[in-house]
């Protein structure tokens, strides 16, 4: 049990380090407008075990978002986006609930619930994440086109990376 | 205690979300420059339009009062015209509307927002760029000066009030002709400080202070206020002169924006001065 938690913490730290050290330096897109943001750390929040109450999930997402904000020098933007994403987590879980319920002690990962289930689940919540991220970042609906374009492109790029990483780890374990 | 905590954990997640999200939004507009700009701009826009709506409805209530005062003013003007026809010379300066010589045009506007409680106070007017107002124009009332336009939008304009730390109006003692910058020290909204008047100047209580006309913002000889205190600090070469404003900044409603049509010409000529330095 404690081994599972230790693994979770280590995985979280690794993802965060990768985000703020490696991925932060990759700039896709042109001009000064927010281009494509490669954000994979939300997968840490996505794959938190189902048994954790929503209350702590929200607290955790706020903390992790704020931590990333510290490195991106954008207080409130990542934290806000994480909160919005995690607000919809219970809804996504209810929508995608298997016929005979979730297995006990499951985490919403590929190894526990399958490739199709995970991609639906992650896809839904990442749409929420990237939309709210770009809304908070651009902060005006005058540039709604930029918000949508940035969200779609970022979702595409980050989604693929997240999916591949998850797939890799599920095979290994 | 544990029971209470459990109830919060089970049912408080939505409240927690709202609280944390509010915190995030506050952070976003407080610590992120582009977002802060957008927020302030939108806020100003919304506040201005709200204020003008409120003002309009308040105006409606006080229509009767306004009517009375207009009628009174009409009567006074009529009286002057009648007297003038007899005497053939109308004393223009005593008309209620300021009459300006030369290249100036006057536009009337209403104050829809006015602050007094800060170090740097701004005033919002209900007319803007589409009416011909541009940054750098002076704003006055019938009895004194108010400030300088700093920004305009389509329908509103922002005026740097006299009660602002950057205010420096070129003012002159009407009787003796000494001039200097007029600044606000930030204490009393009724008092401004006239600086750089040499200590050999002749200053008396109650002297009228007027605009010098050396800047392109205000024309010459507009009343600003009267000297309410003057002294020379020990060791100083200049007077400390307090000027009581003739137009109290606490009561602003109808104001006039001065458009100087020869401003560019004067500034352009004066910019050539740098060649001889």
């Amino acid at each position: 049990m404690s081994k599972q938690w230790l693994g979770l913490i280590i995985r979280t730290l690794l993802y965060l380090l990768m985000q703020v050290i490696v991925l932060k330096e990759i700039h896709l897109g042109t001009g000064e407008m927010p281009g494509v943001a490669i954000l994979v750390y939300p997968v840490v929040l996505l794959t938190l075990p189902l048994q954790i109450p929503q209350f702590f999930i929200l607290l955790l997402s706020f903390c992790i978002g704020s931590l990333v904000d510290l490195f991106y020098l954008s207080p409130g933007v990542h934290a806000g986006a994480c909160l919005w994403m995690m607000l919809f987590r219970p809804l996504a879980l209810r929508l995608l609930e298997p016929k005979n319920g979730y297995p006990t002690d499951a985490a919403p990962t590929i190894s526990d619930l399958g490739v199709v289930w995970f991609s639906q689940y992650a896809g839904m919540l990442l749409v929420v994440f990237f939309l709210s991220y770009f809304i908070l970042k651009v902060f005006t609906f005058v540039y709604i086109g930029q918000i949508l374009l940035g969200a779609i492109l970022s979702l595409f790029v980050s989604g693929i990376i997240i999916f591949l990483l998850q797939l890799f780890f599920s095979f290994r374990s | 205690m544990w029971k209470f905590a459990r109830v919060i954990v089970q049912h408080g997640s939505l409240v927690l979300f709202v609280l944390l999200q509010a915190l995030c939004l506050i952070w976003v507009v407080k610590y992120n420059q582009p977002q802060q700009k957008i927020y302030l701009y939108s806020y100003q826009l919304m506040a201005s339009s709200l204020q003008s709506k409120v003002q309009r409805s308040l105006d409606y209530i006080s229509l009767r009062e306004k009517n009375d005062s207009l009628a009174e003013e009409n009567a006074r003007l009529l009286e002057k015209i009648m007297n003038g026809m007899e005497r053939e010379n109308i004393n223009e300066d005593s008309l209620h509307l300021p009459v300006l010589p030369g290249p100036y045009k006057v536009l009337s506007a209403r104050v829809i927002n006015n602050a007094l409680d800060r170090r740097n106070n701004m005033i919002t007017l209900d007319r803007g760029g589409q009416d011909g107002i541009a940054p750098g124009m002076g704003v006055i009332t019938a009895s004194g000066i108010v400030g300088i336009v700093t920004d305009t939008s389509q329908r509103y304009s922002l005026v740097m009030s006299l009660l602002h730390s950057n205010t420096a109006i070129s003012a002159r003692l009407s009787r003796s002709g000494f001039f200097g910058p007029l600044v606000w020290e930030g204490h009393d909204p009724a008092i401004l400080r006239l600086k750089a008047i040499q200590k050999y100047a002749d200053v008396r209580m109650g002297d009228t202070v007027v605009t010098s006309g050396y800047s392109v913002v205000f024309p010459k000889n507009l009343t600003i206020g009267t000297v309410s205190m003057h002294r020379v600090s020990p060791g100083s070469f200049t007077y400390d002169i307090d000027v009581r404003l003739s137009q109290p900044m606490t009561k602003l409603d109808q104001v006039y924006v001065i458009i100087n049509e020869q401003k560019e010409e004067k500034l352009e000529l004066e910019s050539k001065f740098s060649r001889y330095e």
Side-chain angles (χ1 to χ4, degrees):
Chain A
M1 188 64 189
S2 67
K3 206 175 164 189
Q4 187 201 340
W5 292 110
L6 196 69
L8 193 72
I9 292 169
I10 291 174
R11 209 173 63 220
T12 305
L13 286 177
L14 282 179
Y15 266 111
L16 285 178
L17 281 177
M18 176 167 80
Q19 181 67 52
V20 300
I21 292 174
V22 183
L23 295 176
K24 189 187 155 213
E25 306 304 328
I26 302 176
H27 299 287
L28 297 177
T30 53
E32 73 281 3
M33 282 315 291
V36 180
I38 305 178
L39 304 171
V40 301
Y41 76 93
V43 77
V44 167
L45 298 169
L46 286 179
T47 54
L48 284 173
L50 292 173
Q51 70 212 53
I52 301 181
Q54 172 73 355
F55 190 83
F56 295 122
I57 295 254
L58 286 176
L59 274 179
L60 262 175
S61 58
F62 178 74
C63 294
I64 288 178
S66 304
L67 214 66
V68 175
D69 274 329
L70 270 184
F71 288 93
Y72 274 76
L73 300 180
S74 58
V77 175
H78 285 275
C82 285
L83 280 172
W84 276 111
M85 174 172 77
M86 281 315 172
L87 179 72
F88 287 98
R89 191 180 102 124
L91 185 72
L93 287 176
R94 214 176 307 146
L95 278 176
L96 296 171
E97 188 163 358
K99 270 192 192 117
N100 36 8
Y102 289 105
T104 44
D105 275 358
T109 54
I110 287 179
S111 46
D112 281 11
L113 289 155
V115 174
V116 179
W117 186 92
F118 179 78
S119 37
Q120 284 174 337
Y121 166 78
M124 259 186 229
L125 291 184
L126 285 176
V127 166
V128 176
F129 175 81
F130 280 106
L131 261 184
S132 43
Y133 171 76
F134 276 97
I135 288 173
L136 283 171
K137 195 173 161 98
V138 179
F139 215 63
T140 163
F141 288 107
V142 177
Y143 300 121
I144 184 78
Q146 248 129 0
I147 292 178
L148 289 176
L149 192 71
I152 289 168
L153 290 177
S154 304
L155 177 69
F156 190 68
V157 176
S158 311
I160 285 177
I161 296 176
I162 287 175
F163 187 74
L164 289 178
L165 282 170
Q166 284 295 306
L167 211 59
F168 175 72
F169 282 121
S170 73
F171 275 133
R172 211 198 50 174
S173 56
Chain B
M1 187 63 207
W2 276 114
K3 226 173 172 180
F4 185 63
R6 252 172 69 183
V7 168
I8 287 186
V9 167
Q10 269 166 7
H11 301 284
S13 54
L14 200 63
V15 178
L16 181 77
F17 170 80
V18 171
L19 286 178
L20 291 179
Q21 191 65 44
L23 186 65
C24 285
L25 276 176
I26 291 171
W27 281 358
V28 167
V29 296
K30 207 167 170 188
Y31 300 115
N32 295 269
Q33 283 236 333
Q35 283 97 324
Q36 188 178 40
K37 266 187 210 155
I38 292 170
Y39 166 76
L40 288 176
Y41 181 77
S42 319
Y43 178 80
Q44 176 81 26
L45 220 64
M46 249 158 50
S48 302
S49 77
L50 188 73
Q51 229 126 23
S52 75
K53 274 188 193 117
V54 169
Q55 188 69 37
R56 217 175 296 151
S57 40
L58 287 181
D59 278 358
Y60 194 75
I61 298 168
S62 62
L63 264 185
R64 192 188 167 81
E65 209 176 291
K66 287 248 153 66
N67 235 341
D68 288 349
S69 80
L70 275 178
E72 216 170 278
E73 196 172 321
N74 266 342
R76 217 169 39 238
L77 289 174
L78 207 62
E79 197 180 296
K80 277 197 203 312
I81 289 171
M82 284 170 164
N83 291 338
M85 279 198 298
E86 278 175 28
R87 284 189 277 120
E88 283 288 307
N89 60 335
I90 303 172
N91 185 1
E92 281 183 320
D93 284 344
S94 62
L95 286 184
H96 195 63
L97 253 175
V99 176
L100 307 167
Y104 298 103
K105 270 192 174 172
V106 178
L107 201 69
S108 79
R110 303 283 300 275
V111 170
I112 54 171
N113 189 12
N114 185 7
L116 296 165
D117 51 346
R118 286 175 232 164
R119 181 69 181 98
N120 295 320
N121 295 294
M122 302 298 281
I123 296 169
T124 315
L125 304 183
D126 69 341
R127 301 185 79 171
Q130 68 182 13
D131 304 302
I133 298 181
M137 292 176 175
V139 180
I140 61 172
T141 67
S143 50
I145 66 175
V146 173
I148 297 170
V149 177
T150 54
D151 290 286
T152 59
S153 67
Q154 195 89 344
R155 274 169 291 170
Y156 303 103
S157 43
L158 206 57
V159 176
M160 184 174 89
S161 160
L162 281 185
L163 310 182
H164 191 288
S165 58
N166 288 348
T167 294
I169 308 285
S170 177
R172 191 166 57 90
L173 287 165
S174 174
R175 196 171 50 80
S176 53
F178 287 91
F179 69 94
L182 191 66
V183 298
W184 186 49
E185 306 270 82
H187 310 300
D188 187 347
I191 303 284
L192 265 71
R193 172 70 52 95
L194 182 58
K195 295 205 157 181
I197 302 287
Q198 300 296 323
K199 72 174 174 186
Y200 54 79
D202 174 18
V203 182
R204 287 182 210 161
M205 293 290 281
D207 271 0
T208 312
V209 177
V210 297
T211 51
S212 70
Y214 295 157
S215 75
V216 288
V217 180
F218 295 109
K220 212 172 169 176
N221 286 337
L222 291 176
T223 309
I224 298 173
T226 50
V227 173
S228 67
M229 189 282 292
H230 61 87
R231 62 142 194 265
V232 180
S233 315
S236 170
F237 293 106
T238 56
Y239 268 108
D240 289 335
I241 300 178
D242 276 355
V243 178
R244 180 167 291 278
L245 295 175
S246 54
Q247 168 63 51
M249 300 299 282
T250 45
K251 295 180 207 155
L252 289 177
D253 183 25
Q254 183 77 49
V255 296
Y256 302 98
V257 182
I258 305 172
I259 302 171
N260 184 347
E261 289 182 326
Q262 294 171 8
K263 176 180 176 180
E264 266 75 37
E265 193 181 330
K266 182 171 184 247
L267 288 179
E268 199 186 315
L269 179 65
E270 284 177 353
S271 71
K272 291 183 179 158
F273 179 68
S274 59
R275 267 193 268 160
Y276 305 105
E277 279 182 317

